[in-house]
Amino acid sequence: SNSSLIVEICCAEGREEALRGICDGIESCEKSLNEYLEQKKKAFPRFYFVANQALLDILSNGNMPVKVAEYLGDVFDGIKTLDFKDGTL
């Protein structure tokens, strides 16, 4: 049955060590990402007003102003949106 196969796979020799290694790698990656985002927030303190996921979206779409514009209200008080015409402000 499927449940016995799952138990067998989960209990395979070395599985726990492999999963611990993967978990350590993920934690290291998360730590590095948080340090990177903290550097960006220190360089531009208004980034402290947006969630990390939003900040990642802003940074990864920096060359696409229309995509970044959805976060303007979070970063700047009094700005809800910008009008773009022909790819310019």
Side-chain angles (χ1 to χ4, degrees), residues 68-87:
V68 173
E70 68 184 79
Y71 301 105
L72 286 175
D74 297 333
V75 178
F76 299 102
D77 289 340
I79 295 178
K80 184 175 181 179
T81 188
L82 295 175
D83 293 326
F84 295 93
K85 295 181 178 146
D86 298 326

Side-chain angles (χ1 to χ4, degrees), residues 45-75:
R46 288 193 172 268
F47 283 154
Y48 282 105
F49 296 106
V50 296
N52 283 349
Q53 183 62 43
L55 181 52
L56 283 173
D57 204 22
I58 291 168
L59 295 172
S60 64
N61 291 296
N63 59 346
M64 299 190 307
V66 175
K67 178 72 174 157
V68 173
E70 68 184 79
Y71 301 105
L72 286 175
D74 297 333
V75 178

Side-chain angles (χ1 to χ4, degrees), residues 1-85:
S1 87
N2 285 341
S3 61
S4 63
L5 181 60
I6 292 171
V7 171
E8 182 181 336
I9 291 170
C10 290
C11 295
E13 186 176 331
R15 183 74 62 211
E16 183 178 356
E17 293 81 17
L19 291 174
R20 288 188 191 280
I22 291 169
C23 187
D24 290 344
I26 291 171
E27 287 175 1
S28 175
C29 183
E30 185 177 19
K31 182 177 183 259
S32 295
L33 178 59
N34 285 331
E35 288 171 359
Y36 171 76
L37 294 177
E38 188 63 28
Q39 287 177 342
K40 295 301 179 183
K41 290 175 181 180
K42 286 180 180 177
F44 190 68
R46 288 193 172 268
F47 283 154
Y48 282 105
F49 296 106
V50 296
N52 283 349
Q53 183 62 43
L55 181 52
L56 283 173
D57 204 22
I58 291 168
L59 295 172
S60 64
N61 291 296
N63 59 346
M64 299 190 307
V66 175
K67 178 72 174 157
V68 173
E70 68 184 79
Y71 301 105
L72 286 175
D74 297 333
V75 178
F76 299 102
D77 289 340
I79 295 178
K80 184 175 181 179
T81 188
L82 295 175
D83 293 326
F84 295 93
K85 295 181 178 146

